[in-house]
Amino acid sequence: MQLEGYMVRVSWDGAWLVAEPTTKAARFALTGPGGEPRLTLHRDDIASVTHIGATMLVNGQVTLETHDGHSFPLHYRRKARSGFAALVAELQAVARPRTVETTPGVVVPSTDAGPPLRQTGSAWQAPSTTGKEPSSEDVAQRMQLEAPRHPLEEQVEVAGETYYVKGVRRVFRDAGTPITSKGSTLEGLVCVLVPEPWNEHDPNAVAVLLGGHKVGHLPAEMARDYAPGLARLAGAGALATGSARIWAKNDGGIVRARVTLLIPEASAF
């Protein structure tokens, strides 16, 4: 079985599943920072398979959980839903549930890219070696990423994209998609939520990263609800994730962008 997903090619022969990301952003989403160029899983590695079907507005997602506690998302467009539905049926038939309890959702090993994050009571800190406030991008590279906590019931319009045009440009660059004067769209991306207690403007700020690049923040009134739970999760060494869609338009050299997220409700954390 050969399938074309969203920024990923998937093959399955009944014994081995191979998923090959076609862009840097998709590789980051599937195997994490510094991960392998492709995902290869034997049928005996698969513990469970969850599936969110594609609709007119949202790409479909197949999430594979392995016996070592890792989780891998595969995205596809609506036109490929019959093929991915068949794939899900076959994978669910061979999946063997895990028999040991692990920390829910933690999926991507962190890298050793800087000083360790420190936990102090229910709070956490991200030390900086430069004397400046920490970078959300650096923090994300040094922490584990959770698999999205389903259901993704909260639709959010990200705030502040105007201030993070460089990040927006890099997301499209990594995807190999130019930002045109008519507008360009990327769907089915993994978003990462990074609480920023060091933010001088708002200690409840929550940064939004796509493909490792900061593209904005949760709206302030929403961040107040999310920040405590996300900080507790960060104190345990992990960051929450969800699904994202980004649109951008090149208006005479000025990039205008809009990022829409699907994330769990704040009570999930």
Side-chain angles (χ1 to χ4, degrees):
M1 183 182 299
Q2 304 282 336
L3 299 172
E4 283 290 331
Y6 181 65
M7 296 195 291
V8 64
R9 297 188 184 94
V10 181
S11 64
W12 164 249
D13 62 5
W16 291 93
L17 181 139
V18 178
E20 185 172 3
T22 58
T23 68
K24 291 182 180 179
R27 178 176 172 181
F28 179 95
L30 185 63
T31 62
E36 296 295 326
R38 63 183 58 83
L39 170 68
T40 303
L41 294 177
H42 189 264
R43 58 186 290 170
D44 293 339
D45 297 329
I46 301 172
S48 67
V49 182
T50 57
H51 180 211
I52 299 176
T55 69
M56 291 290 291
L57 300 177
V58 180
N59 284 345
Q61 178 174 308
V62 178
T63 302
L64 309 175
E65 184 181 7
T66 59
H67 290 281
D68 58 5
H70 288 63
S71 232
F72 302 96
L74 306 174
H75 300 278
Y76 66 91
R77 294 188 185 276
R78 188 167 177 260
K79 63 183 179 181
R81 61 184 177 180
S82 60
F84 274 87
L87 173 66
V88 167
E90 293 193 21
L91 294 178
Q92 288 179 335
V94 302
R96 295 183 297 109
R98 287 191 293 161
T99 57
V100 296
E101 293 292 331
T102 62
T103 302
V106 174
V107 299
V108 183
S110 59
T111 61
D112 185 15
L117 300 175
R118 299 195 301 268
Q119 184 175 4
T120 307
S122 61
W124 70 289
Q125 301 177 51
S128 172
T129 58
T130 64
K132 301 179 181 179
E133 69 178 33
S135 160
S136 296
E137 290 91 337
D138 290 342
V139 169
Q141 288 192 2
R142 288 152 47 201
M143 299 186 69
Q144 295 173 324
L145 305 182
E146 274 201 333
R149 297 189 184 193
H150 295 292
L152 304 178
E153 294 184 330
E154 195 74 55
Q155 183 166 319
V156 184
E157 292 292 335
V158 171
E161 298 99 330
T162 303
Y163 301 104
Y164 299 99
V165 170
K166 286 184 179 180
V168 170
R169 289 183 182 274
R170 288 167 179 166
V171 171
F172 280 89
R173 179 201 64 193
D174 290 350
T177 301
I179 301 175
T180 68
S181 59
K182 294 183 178 180
S184 304
T185 302
L186 298 173
E187 299 178 289
L189 302 179
V190 172
C191 65
V192 179
L193 305 179
V194 183
E196 296 180 334
W198 59 82
N199 190 303
E200 64 179 354
H201 302 292
D202 181 3
N204 289 319
V206 176
V208 176
L209 274 62
L210 300 181
H213 307 299
K214 188 173 179 178
V215 295
H217 287 89
L218 293 186
E221 64 277 8
M222 179 173 284
R224 283 195 295 270
D225 295 330
Y226 277 85
L230 295 178
R232 285 192 295 271
L233 183 63
L239 298 173
T241 65
S243 180
R245 175 183 185 274
I246 182 171
W247 170 90
K249 178 181 180 180
N250 189 332
D251 189 1
I254 298 175
V255 172
R256 308 184 189 280
R258 183 170 65 248
V259 180
T260 305
L261 311 180
L262 283 175
I263 58 177
E265 294 183 346
S267 59
F269 305 104

